[in-house]
Amino acid sequence: EVSLVESGGGVVQPGGSLRLSCAASGFTFSDSTMHWVRQSPRRGLEWVSLISGDGSTTFYSESVRGRFVISRDNADNSLHLQMNSLRSEDSAFYYCASAVPMDYKLFDHWGLGTVVTVSS
Amino acid sequence: DIQMTQSPSSLSASVGDRVNIKCRASQNIGAYLNWYSQKPGKAPNLLIFAAATLRSGAPSRFSGSGSGTDFTLTIDNVQPEDFATYFCQETSATLPGAFGGGTNLDMK
C-alpha cells in the first residue's frame, strides 16, 4: 500500500527557513515524479514544485521560485522541500504527492500534509 | 495565467439526488480539466481527468463533461460518502495549473 508521510512543518518567523520531508513507501519511488502542493484558506490549493524520478528535472511555481528548493533521495525514498525567505503567504498545509504514471501533472497519491505557519 | 472559477461555492443535496458542479476556465484549456474530491482532514483524491475520464476505482455515479472553457462534474444518485469538497484543476500547460476555489457539497 502506498504511503506518503510528511514532516518538518512548524512555526517560523518571516524571512526564516524550514525543510520539509516526505517519506515514501509502497511503490517504486525512483520511477515517480513527485510534487509538493499546498493548501491554505487564503490561497486555496496551489501546486508548488515537482521533481522528476531521477531528480534531474525540477520546476517551481512563480510564487516560490528562487526561494524554495525541491530535492529527493532515491536511496531512502525521501522527498524534501527546502523553504527559504519565508513569507506570511507561505503559511499553508503542505502535501507531498506522487504523479499519476501516465501524466506527471496529475496527483495520484497524497500524504496527510504538514502545517507551516509563518508568523512573527 | 489561467483562472479557474467554480460554481456554486456550496451546495446542499439529499442522498439519491443528482448534482452538477460547474467549473469555468478564463481561457480555452481544451479537455485538460481534472476533478478532485476532498473530505475534512484528508488530502484531495483524483476522481476524473481529461474532463471526462473516470479514474480507475472511482464510482461510476461520477461523470465529467465539457471542453474549452466550461466543464461540469455530475454526481448521479448522491451517496453519504460523497459529501465533500470538490475542486477542478487545469493542466493545459507544461506544469500543473490552477485549481478552482472548491465546491462544498453537504447534506440537506
Side-chain angles (χ1 to χ4, degrees):
Chain A
E1 185 182 350
V2 172
S3 174
L4 295 167
V5 180
E6 301 92 340
S7 61
V11 181
V12 61
Q13 291 189 337
S17 298
L18 271 180
R19 187 177 192 243
L20 305 184
S21 295
C22 172
S25 62
F27 64 106
T28 307
F29 183 70
S30 58
D31 284 350
S32 295
T33 294
M34 296 296 295
H35 297 271
W36 287 99
V37 181
R38 65 186 181 184
Q39 185 173 29
S40 67
R42 185 171 149 185
R43 297 171 69 100
L45 276 165
E46 181 184 14
W47 171 78
V48 173
S49 181
L50 75 80
I51 186 167
S52 60
D54 64 1
S56 63
T57 302
T58 59
F59 288 104
Y60 301 89
S61 68
E62 247 182 82
S63 59
V64 308
R65 193 175 300 131
R67 300 187 298 123
F68 291 11
V69 178
I70 191 171
S71 63
R72 65 192 297 158
D73 184 342
N74 286 344
D76 72 357
N77 289 356
S78 63
L79 175 71
H80 306 282
L81 186 68
Q82 177 67 43
M83 304 188 297
N84 302 320
S85 303
L86 282 161
R87 307 166 179 166
S88 59
E89 55 264 34
D90 295 318
S91 296
F93 243 94
Y94 282 74
Y95 297 100
C96 68
S98 60
V100 167
M102 295 304 176
D103 188 337
Y104 67 92
K105 292 179 284 181
L106 296 179
F107 311 119
D108 193 358
H109 299 282
W110 302 59
L112 288 179
T114 187
V115 178
V116 171
T117 303
V118 184
S119 173
S120 53
Chain B
D1 289 358
I2 298 173
Q3 314 297 323
M4 306 301 293
T5 304
Q6 285 183 238
S7 60
S9 57
S10 64
L11 179 59
S12 294
S14 301
V15 172
D17 282 354
R18 182 179 204 234
V19 300
N20 290 304
I21 297 170
K22 304 286 188 181
C23 179
R24 174 165 287 178
S26 60
Q27 62 190 71
N28 188 339
I29 58 170
Y32 292 98
L33 191 283
N34 315 297
W35 292 97
Y36 292 83
S37 65
Q38 184 178 31
K39 295 186 179 178
K42 304 283 189 181
N45 177 54
L46 179 64
L47 274 176
I48 286 172
F49 59 96
T53 302
L54 193 66
R55 184 189 179 173
S56 174
S60 58
R61 60 183 178 272
F62 290 91
S63 63
S65 62
S67 67
T69 60
D70 292 295
F71 302 86
T72 302
L73 173 69
T74 299
I75 312 174
D76 280 308
N77 186 21
V78 169
Q79 295 300 297
E81 59 268 31
D82 300 337
F83 294 109
T85 301
Y86 293 86
F87 296 92
C88 62
Q89 188 219 3
E90 69 90 10
T91 48
S92 63
T94 307
L95 299 175
F99 287 86
T103 296
N104 181 48
L105 174 63
D106 64 16
M107 191 179 299
K108 190 182 291 182

